[in-house]
Structures are given as structure tokens and as C-alpha cells.
Amino acid sequence: MSARSGDMVVAGVLELHYRIIPTDVSEGPSGTATCNYVARDTDGRRWFVKAYPVSADLGAERRSIELAEFAAFVEGAETAEGGLSGKRWAAVGETVGRLHRTLARHPAGPPCRVPVRQVCDVKRARQRLERLLACFSKRPPTSEFPTWARETAVRRNEALPAVAAMLEELPASLTVQTVHGDLASPNLLLRGQQVAALIDFRPPGHRSPAWELGRIVLDPRTVLAEPHWPTGLAEAITAYRAANPALPAEELLAVPRVAAGYLACSVYPLSEAVDDPAAVTPELVAYGRNRHAAMGELRERLTEVEEVLHDLLH
């Protein structure tokens, strides 16, 4: 379906099923599993429209929307895809801290601790990488991204023993609780130096707050664009701790190590070369390369950043 025909379908559905008469429909930032649109009606109101695939679990998606009740779509906001800098570090840290403090009371259940392997699972990563490499051996890549993905998967697989050794330095267990679930740069809206909104929550599920904090403040686009990211991370964690003092200091210290381990254990988007070639766009290729480069940067500067955080937290 072309972008124009998609706009027309959305306009028709809004009018037929919701009695909303759109004067304009445009495609918004794409999600990983949805097509997103912004519509404006005859009264000038704006509507954010998510189009789900046929296979989507709409019940689970409704539960994810409930998590976002406090978040608003804000005029004049921009996503955090340009990276964090200046006062945005502290603003994001404070917002995520408040979010986690609030979601700790969610009906899905209180925070609890789980073995660290449930947060960064090296064994599962090896299984996924070996499956991916087996697929590549059956269908050798013939274009640039699949070739790079295969070579990168080989290097990632070979590096897993070192990753496992790196993760042994983490606490034996980490806190998990209800979190946003997909707190990546496209889902964080900024206006100036402040956070305007968080959008696109996932259905309620227990994951590590340290993982989620690291995922957003150490987004690959930020790590690669901002050479002073260790200082920015310290500012974000200071603000997070003030907003959510319940998370132990040892877990805040673990944020960069968890972030590096998460990237090292992830096969996305390498797997798209095999599982969904149609999803491989130039933007996805760039993101995949950035993720891999950021993983190397995090591991290379891990000692440096942990020294900064140790002085901050102790």
C-alpha cells in the first residue's frame, strides 16, 4: 500500500467508524509493529492514529494504551532521535525516574528481583545468533546489508564469552517491575530542554528499570554523537535517583554495563536480513550499524564511566 492510499484508508475509517471528518491525514513516524498517522479534523483537533497488523493482540495493545494515560501528544515537540545534550540529560533522567516510581504501584504487580541472566541472557543470545548464522549458511547473502549482518553476527557470537565475563561483574540479581517497555528515542518527545511526553507504551510487563534507563539515555545516536556522554549519564542518573530513590545505588551503577550487555545480546536488526527483508530500509541499516558501533563505545569506556558513577553514588 502506498503512503497516499494509506492516508485515504485512514480517512475513510475515521469517518465511517468514529464520525471524525478529517481535513488532513499524514503519515507519522513508523513504529516497529504499526503504521502511524496524524489526522486533523474540521474543528482543528489532532488525532494520533495507529494501524495494527492483522496478527496484533489488540487486547494487549489496549493494556499498553492504559499505561500512557498521563502522556500527551504535544504541539511543537520533537523526538529524541537527535540525541541528548545540555539540560535534556537531567530532564530525561527525572522523567524516567518519576515514571518508574509511578509504575511500581501498577496492578500488574510490585517490583521484585530476578537473576541478572533474565535481563541480559547470553545463552539465549548464542542460540539466536547460531540460528541466524545457520540461515545465512543456507542462503548466503548477496547484498550489502545481509553480508554485513552475517559478518557482524559472527563477531558477536565469538565475543559472547567476553560479554558473559563482563556481565559477571553485575549484581547477582536486578529489580524488575512494570516499565514503559519501548522507551527508545522515537517514543520520547522533547520541547526545548524539557520532556514533553512519552508515547507508544508496550503492554504491562516486568523488565529492569536499569535496562530501560540505559536504553534511553545511552541510545546509540546519543553515545556516538556526544563524546562527553559519561558526564551526561551522571547528570541523568542524579536526576533519576532524586525522582526514584527506591532503586538501589548498585543498580544505577550497573546502567552502562547492562546497556552494553543488552546491545551485545541483541540480534536486532541483524535478524531482519533473514526474517523480514522487506523491513530493511536505509534508516534501519544506519540504525543497525549505530547500535553495533555504540556497543563497542560502551564497552571501551566502561571502566571510565563506572568510575564517574561510583564517585557519584557512594
Coordinates of all heavy atoms in Angstrom, one line a residue, residues 30-100:
S30 N 7.0 5.9 11.9 CA 6.6 4.5 11.9 C 7.1 3.8 13.2 O 8.2 4.0 13.7 CB 7.2 3.7 10.7 OG 6.7 4.2 9.5
G31 N 6.3 2.9 13.7 CA 6.6 2.1 14.8 C 7.3 0.8 14.3 O 7.3 0.5 13.1
T32 N 7.7 -0.1 15.2 CA 8.3 -1.3 14.8 C 7.2 -2.3 14.4 O 7.5 -3.3 13.7 CB 9.1 -1.9 16.0 OG1 8.3 -2.0 17.1 CG2 10.3 -1.1 16.3
A33 N 6.0 -2.1 14.8 CA 4.9 -3.1 14.5 C 3.7 -2.4 14.0 O 2.7 -3.1 13.8 CB 4.6 -4.0 15.7
T34 N 3.7 -1.1 13.8 CA 2.5 -0.4 13.4 C 2.8 0.7 12.4 O 4.0 1.1 12.3 CB 1.8 0.3 14.6 OG1 2.7 1.3 15.2 CG2 1.4 -0.7 15.7
C35 N 1.8 1.1 11.7 CA 1.9 2.3 10.8 C 1.2 3.4 11.6 O 0.0 3.2 12.0 CB 1.3 2.1 9.5 SG 2.2 0.9 8.5
N36 N 1.8 4.6 11.7 CA 1.2 5.7 12.5 C 0.9 6.9 11.6 O 1.5 7.2 10.6 CB 2.3 6.1 13.5 CG 2.6 5.0 14.5 OD1 1.8 4.1 14.8 ND2 3.8 5.0 14.9
Y37 N -0.2 7.5 12.0 CA -0.8 8.6 11.2 C -1.2 9.8 12.1 O -1.5 9.5 13.3 CB -2.0 8.2 10.3 CG -1.7 7.1 9.3 CD1 -1.7 5.8 9.7 CD2 -1.3 7.4 8.0 CE1 -1.4 4.8 8.8 CE2 -1.0 6.4 7.1 CZ -1.1 5.1 7.5 OH -0.8 4.1 6.6
V38 N -1.2 11.0 11.6 CA -1.7 12.1 12.3 C -2.8 12.7 11.5 O -2.6 13.1 10.3 CB -0.6 13.2 12.6 CG1 -1.2 14.4 13.4 CG2 0.5 12.6 13.5
A39 N -4.0 12.9 12.1 CA -5.1 13.4 11.3 C -5.6 14.7 12.0 O -5.5 14.9 13.2 CB -6.3 12.4 11.3
R40 N -6.1 15.6 11.2 CA -6.7 16.9 11.8 C -8.1 17.0 11.3 O -8.4 16.7 10.1 CB -5.9 18.1 11.3 CG -6.3 19.4 12.0 CD -5.4 20.6 11.5 NE -4.0 20.4 11.8 CZ -3.4 20.7 12.9 NH1 -4.2 21.2 13.9 NH2 -2.1 20.5 13.1
D41 N -9.1 17.2 12.2 CA -10.5 17.2 11.8 C -11.0 18.7 11.6 O -10.2 19.6 11.6 CB -11.3 16.6 12.9 CG -11.3 17.3 14.3 OD1 -10.9 18.5 14.3 OD2 -11.7 16.7 15.3
T42 N -12.3 18.8 11.3 CA -12.8 20.1 10.9 C -12.8 21.1 12.0 O -13.0 22.3 11.8 CB -14.3 19.9 10.4 OG1 -15.0 19.1 11.4 CG2 -14.3 19.1 9.1
D43 N -12.7 20.6 13.3 CA -12.6 21.6 14.4 C -11.1 21.9 14.7 O -10.9 22.6 15.7 CB -13.2 21.0 15.6 CG -14.7 20.8 15.4 OD1 -15.3 21.6 14.8 OD2 -15.3 19.8 15.9
G44 N -10.2 21.4 13.9 CA -8.8 21.7 14.2 C -8.1 20.8 15.2 O -6.9 21.0 15.5
R45 N -8.8 19.8 15.7 CA -8.2 18.9 16.6 C -7.3 17.9 15.9 O -7.6 17.5 14.8 CB -9.3 18.1 17.4 CG -10.1 19.0 18.4 CD -11.3 18.3 19.0 NE -12.2 17.8 17.9 CZ -13.4 17.2 18.2 NH1 -13.7 16.9 19.5 NH2 -14.1 16.8 17.2
R46 N -6.3 17.4 16.6 CA -5.4 16.5 16.0 C -5.6 15.1 16.6 O -5.8 15.0 17.8 CB -3.9 16.9 16.2 CG -3.6 18.2 15.6 CD -2.2 18.7 16.0 NE -1.2 18.0 15.2 CZ 0.0 17.5 15.8 NH1 0.2 17.6 17.1 NH2 0.9 16.9 15.0
W47 N -5.6 14.1 15.8 CA -5.8 12.7 16.3 C -4.6 11.9 15.8 O -4.1 11.9 14.7 CB -7.0 12.1 15.6 CG -8.3 12.9 15.9 CD1 -8.8 14.0 15.3 CD2 -9.2 12.6 17.0 NE1 -9.9 14.4 15.9 CE2 -10.2 13.6 16.9 CE3 -9.2 11.7 18.0 CZ2 -11.3 13.6 17.8 CZ3 -10.3 11.7 18.9 CH2 -11.3 12.7 18.8
F48 N -4.0 11.1 16.8 CA -2.9 10.2 16.5 C -3.5 8.8 16.3 O -4.3 8.3 17.1 CB -2.0 10.1 17.7 CG -0.8 9.3 17.5 CD1 0.2 9.6 16.6 CD2 -0.6 8.1 18.2 CE1 1.3 8.8 16.4 CE2 0.5 7.3 18.0 CZ 1.5 7.6 17.1
V49 N -3.2 8.3 15.1 CA -3.9 7.0 14.6 C -2.8 5.9 14.5 O -1.8 6.1 13.8 CB -4.6 7.2 13.3 CG1 -5.3 5.9 12.9 CG2 -5.6 8.4 13.4
K50 N -3.0 4.8 15.1 CA -2.1 3.6 15.0 C -2.8 2.6 14.2 O -3.9 2.1 14.6 CB -1.7 3.1 16.3 CG -0.8 4.1 17.1 CD -0.5 3.6 18.5 CE 0.5 2.4 18.5 NZ 1.8 2.8 18.0
A51 N -2.2 2.1 13.1 CA -2.8 1.0 12.3 C -2.0 -0.3 12.6 O -0.8 -0.4 12.3 CB -2.7 1.3 10.8
Y52 N -2.7 -1.3 13.2 CA -2.1 -2.5 13.6 C -2.2 -3.6 12.6 O -3.2 -3.6 11.8 CB -2.7 -3.0 14.9 CG -2.5 -2.2 16.1 CD1 -3.4 -1.2 16.5 CD2 -1.4 -2.4 16.9 CE1 -3.2 -0.4 17.6 CE2 -1.1 -1.6 18.0 CZ -2.0 -0.6 18.4 OH -1.8 0.2 19.5
P53 N -1.2 -4.5 12.5 CA -1.3 -5.6 11.5 C -2.4 -6.6 12.0 O -2.8 -6.6 13.2 CB 0.1 -6.3 11.6 CG 0.6 -5.9 12.9 CD 0.1 -4.5 13.2
V54 N -2.9 -7.4 11.1 CA -4.0 -8.4 11.4 C -3.6 -9.3 12.6 O -4.4 -9.7 13.4 CB -4.3 -9.2 10.2 CG1 -5.3 -10.3 10.5 CG2 -4.8 -8.3 9.0
S55 N -2.3 -9.6 12.7 CA -1.8 -10.5 13.7 C -1.7 -9.9 15.1 O -1.4 -10.6 16.1 CB -0.5 -11.1 13.4 OG 0.5 -10.1 13.2
A56 N -2.0 -8.6 15.3 CA -1.8 -7.9 16.6 C -2.7 -8.4 17.6 O -3.9 -8.7 17.3 CB -1.9 -6.4 16.4
D57 N -2.3 -8.5 18.9 CA -3.1 -8.8 20.0 C -3.7 -7.5 20.5 O -3.1 -6.8 21.3 CB -2.3 -9.5 21.1 CG -3.1 -9.9 22.3 OD1 -4.2 -9.4 22.5 OD2 -2.6 -10.7 23.1
L58 N -4.9 -7.2 20.1 CA -5.5 -5.9 20.4 C -5.8 -5.7 21.9 O -5.7 -4.6 22.4 CB -6.7 -5.7 19.6 CG -6.5 -5.6 18.0 CD1 -7.8 -5.3 17.3 CD2 -5.5 -4.5 17.7
G59 N -6.1 -6.8 22.5 CA -6.3 -6.8 24.0 C -5.0 -6.3 24.7 O -5.1 -5.4 25.6
A60 N -3.9 -6.9 24.3 CA -2.6 -6.4 24.9 C -2.3 -5.0 24.6 O -1.8 -4.2 25.4 CB -1.5 -7.4 24.5
E61 N -2.6 -4.6 23.3 CA -2.4 -3.2 22.9 C -3.2 -2.2 23.7 O -2.8 -1.1 24.1 CB -2.6 -3.1 21.4 CG -1.7 -3.9 20.5 CD -0.2 -3.5 20.7 OE1 0.1 -2.4 21.2 OE2 0.7 -4.4 20.5
R62 N -4.5 -2.6 24.0 CA -5.3 -1.7 24.8 C -4.7 -1.6 26.2 O -4.7 -0.5 26.8 CB -6.7 -2.3 25.0 CG -7.5 -2.2 23.7 CD -9.0 -2.6 23.9 NE -9.7 -2.7 22.6 CZ -9.9 -3.8 21.9 NH1 -9.4 -4.9 22.3 NH2 -10.5 -3.7 20.8
R63 N -4.1 -2.6 26.8 CA -3.5 -2.5 28.1 C -2.3 -1.6 28.0 O -2.0 -0.9 29.0 CB -3.1 -3.9 28.6 CG -4.3 -4.8 28.9 CD -3.9 -6.0 29.7 NE -3.1 -6.9 28.9 CZ -3.6 -7.8 28.1 NH1 -4.9 -8.0 28.0 NH2 -2.8 -8.7 27.5
S64 N -1.6 -1.6 26.9 CA -0.4 -0.7 26.8 C -0.9 0.7 26.7 O -0.2 1.6 27.2 CB 0.4 -1.1 25.5 OG -0.3 -0.7 24.3
I65 N -2.0 1.0 26.1 CA -2.5 2.4 26.0 C -2.9 2.9 27.4 O -2.7 4.1 27.7 CB -3.7 2.4 25.0 CG1 -3.2 2.1 23.6 CG2 -4.4 3.7 25.1 CD1 -4.3 2.0 22.6
E66 N -3.4 2.0 28.2 CA -3.7 2.4 29.6 C -2.5 2.9 30.3 O -2.6 3.8 31.2 CB -4.3 1.2 30.3 CG -5.7 0.8 29.8 CD -6.2 -0.5 30.5 OE1 -5.5 -1.0 31.3 OE2 -7.3 -0.9 30.1
L67 N -1.3 2.4 30.0 CA -0.1 2.9 30.7 C 0.2 4.3 30.3 O 0.9 5.0 31.0 CB 1.1 2.0 30.3 CG 1.2 0.6 31.0 CD1 2.4 -0.1 30.5 CD2 1.2 0.8 32.5
A68 N -0.3 4.7 29.2 CA 0.1 6.0 28.6 C -0.9 7.1 28.9 O -0.9 8.2 28.3 CB 0.3 5.9 27.1
E69 N -1.8 6.9 29.8 CA -2.9 7.8 30.1 C -2.4 9.2 30.5 O -3.0 10.2 30.2 CB -3.9 7.3 31.2 CG -4.8 6.2 30.7 CD -5.7 5.7 31.8 OE1 -5.5 6.1 32.9 OE2 -6.6 4.9 31.5
F70 N -1.2 9.2 31.2 CA -0.7 10.5 31.6 C 0.1 11.2 30.5 O 0.4 12.4 30.7 CB 0.2 10.3 32.8 CG 1.5 9.7 32.5 CD1 2.6 10.5 32.2 CD2 1.7 8.3 32.4 CE1 3.8 9.9 31.8 CE2 2.9 7.8 32.0 CZ 4.0 8.6 31.7
A71 N 0.4 10.5 29.5 CA 1.2 11.1 28.4 C 0.3 11.8 27.4 O -0.7 11.3 27.0 CB 2.1 10.1 27.7
A72 N 0.8 13.0 26.9 CA 0.0 13.7 25.9 C 0.8 14.0 24.7 O 2.0 14.1 24.7 CB -0.4 15.1 26.5
F73 N 0.1 14.0 23.5 CA 0.8 14.4 22.3 C 0.9 15.9 22.2 O -0.1 16.6 22.3 CB 0.0 13.8 21.1 CG 0.8 13.8 19.8 CD1 1.7 12.9 19.6 CD2 0.6 14.8 18.9 CE1 2.5 12.9 18.4 CE2 1.3 14.8 17.7 CZ 2.2 13.9 17.5
V74 N 2.1 16.4 22.2 CA 2.3 17.9 22.4 C 2.7 18.6 21.2 O 3.6 18.2 20.4 CB 3.4 18.1 23.5 CG1 3.6 19.5 23.8 CG2 3.0 17.3 24.8
E75 N 2.0 19.7 20.9 CA 2.3 20.5 19.8 C 3.8 21.1 19.9 O 4.2 21.4 21.0 CB 1.4 21.7 19.7 CG -0.1 21.3 19.3 CD -0.3 21.1 17.9 OE1 0.7 21.2 17.1 OE2 -1.4 20.8 17.5
G76 N 4.5 21.1 18.8 CA 5.8 21.7 18.8 C 6.9 20.8 19.4 O 8.0 21.3 19.6
A77 N 6.6 19.6 19.6 CA 7.6 18.7 20.2 C 8.4 18.0 19.1 O 7.9 17.8 18.0 CB 6.9 17.6 21.1
E78 N 9.6 17.5 19.5 CA 10.4 16.7 18.6 C 10.8 15.4 19.3 O 10.9 15.4 20.5 CB 11.6 17.5 18.1 CG 12.5 17.9 19.3 CD 13.7 18.7 18.8 OE1 14.1 18.6 17.6 OE2 14.4 19.4 19.6
T79 N 11.1 14.4 18.5 CA 11.6 13.2 19.1 C 13.0 13.4 19.6 O 13.7 14.3 19.2 CB 11.5 12.0 18.2 OG1 12.5 12.1 17.2 CG2 10.1 11.9 17.6
A80 N 13.5 12.4 20.4 CA 14.9 12.5 20.9 C 15.9 11.8 20.0 O 17.0 11.5 20.4 CB 14.9 11.8 22.3
E81 N 15.5 11.6 18.7 CA 16.4 10.9 17.8 C 17.6 11.7 17.5 O 18.6 11.1 16.9 CB 15.6 10.6 16.5 CG 14.5 9.5 16.8 CD 13.6 9.3 15.6 OE1 12.7 10.1 15.3 OE2 13.9 8.3 14.8
G82 N 17.6 13.0 17.8 CA 18.8 13.8 17.5 C 19.8 13.6 18.7 O 20.9 14.2 18.6
G83 N 19.5 12.9 19.7 CA 20.4 12.7 20.8 C 20.2 13.6 22.0 O 19.5 14.6 21.8
L84 N 20.8 13.3 23.1 CA 20.6 14.2 24.3 C 21.8 15.1 24.5 O 22.9 14.7 24.2 CB 20.5 13.3 25.5 CG 19.3 12.3 25.6 CD1 19.2 11.6 26.9 CD2 18.0 13.0 25.3
S85 N 21.6 16.3 25.0 CA 22.6 17.2 25.3 C 22.1 18.2 26.3 O 20.9 18.3 26.5 CB 23.1 17.9 24.0 OG 22.0 18.6 23.4
G86 N 23.0 19.0 26.8 CA 22.6 20.1 27.7 C 21.7 19.6 28.9 O 22.0 18.6 29.5
K87 N 20.7 20.4 29.1 CA 19.8 20.1 30.3 C 18.9 18.9 30.0 O 18.1 18.5 30.9 CB 19.0 21.3 30.6 CG 19.8 22.5 31.1 CD 19.0 23.7 31.5 CE 19.8 24.9 32.0 NZ 19.0 26.1 32.3
R88 N 18.9 18.4 28.7 CA 18.0 17.3 28.4 C 18.4 16.0 29.2 O 17.5 15.2 29.5 CB 18.0 17.1 26.9 CG 17.3 18.1 26.1 CD 17.3 17.8 24.6 NE 16.4 18.7 23.9 CZ 16.2 18.6 22.6 NH1 16.8 17.7 21.9 NH2 15.3 19.5 22.0
W89 N 19.6 15.9 29.5 CA 20.1 14.7 30.2 C 19.3 14.6 31.5 O 18.7 13.6 31.9 CB 21.6 14.8 30.5 CG 22.5 14.5 29.4 CD1 23.1 15.5 28.6 CD2 22.9 13.2 28.8 NE1 23.9 14.9 27.7 CE2 23.8 13.5 27.8 CE3 22.6 11.9 29.2 CZ2 24.4 12.5 27.0 CZ3 23.2 10.9 28.4 CH2 24.0 11.2 27.4
A90 N 19.3 15.7 32.3 CA 18.7 15.7 33.6 C 17.2 15.6 33.5 O 16.5 14.9 34.3 CB 19.1 16.9 34.4
A91 N 16.6 16.3 32.5 CA 15.2 16.2 32.2 C 14.7 14.8 31.9 O 13.7 14.4 32.5 CB 14.8 17.2 31.1
V92 N 15.4 14.1 31.1 CA 15.0 12.7 30.8 C 15.2 11.8 32.0 O 14.3 11.0 32.3 CB 15.9 12.2 29.6 CG1 15.6 10.7 29.4 CG2 15.5 13.0 28.3
G93 N 16.3 12.0 32.7 CA 16.5 11.2 33.9 C 15.4 11.3 34.9 O 14.9 10.4 35.5
E94 N 15.0 12.6 35.2 CA 14.0 12.9 36.1 C 12.6 12.3 35.7 O 11.9 11.7 36.5 CB 13.9 14.4 36.3 CG 13.0 14.8 37.5 CD 11.5 15.1 37.1 OE1 11.3 15.3 35.9 OE2 10.7 15.0 38.0
T95 N 12.3 12.4 34.4 CA 11.1 11.9 33.8 C 11.0 10.4 34.0 O 10.0 9.8 34.4 CB 10.9 12.3 32.4 OG1 10.8 13.8 32.3 CG2 9.6 11.7 31.8
V96 N 12.1 9.7 33.6 CA 12.1 8.2 33.7 C 12.0 7.8 35.2 O 11.3 6.8 35.5 CB 13.3 7.7 33.0 CG1 13.3 6.1 33.1 CG2 13.3 8.0 31.5
G97 N 12.6 8.5 36.1 CA 12.5 8.2 37.5 C 11.1 8.3 38.0 O 10.6 7.5 38.7
R98 N 10.4 9.4 37.6 CA 9.0 9.6 38.0 C 8.1 8.5 37.4 O 7.2 8.0 38.1 CB 8.5 11.0 37.6 CG 9.0 12.1 38.5 CD 8.2 13.4 38.2 NE 8.4 13.9 36.9 CZ 7.4 13.9 35.9 NH1 6.2 13.4 36.2 NH2 7.7 14.4 34.7
L99 N 8.4 8.1 36.2 CA 7.7 7.1 35.5 C 7.8 5.8 36.3 O 6.8 5.1 36.6 CB 8.1 6.9 34.1 CG 7.6 5.7 33.3 CD1 6.1 6.0 33.0 CD2 8.4 5.5 32.0
H100 N 9.0 5.4 36.6 CA 9.3 4.1 37.3 C 8.7 4.1 38.7 O 8.2 3.1 39.2 CB 10.7 3.8 37.3 CG 11.3 3.4 35.9 ND1 12.6 3.4 35.7 CD2 10.7 3.1 34.8 CE1 12.8 3.0 34.4 NE2 11.6 2.9 33.8

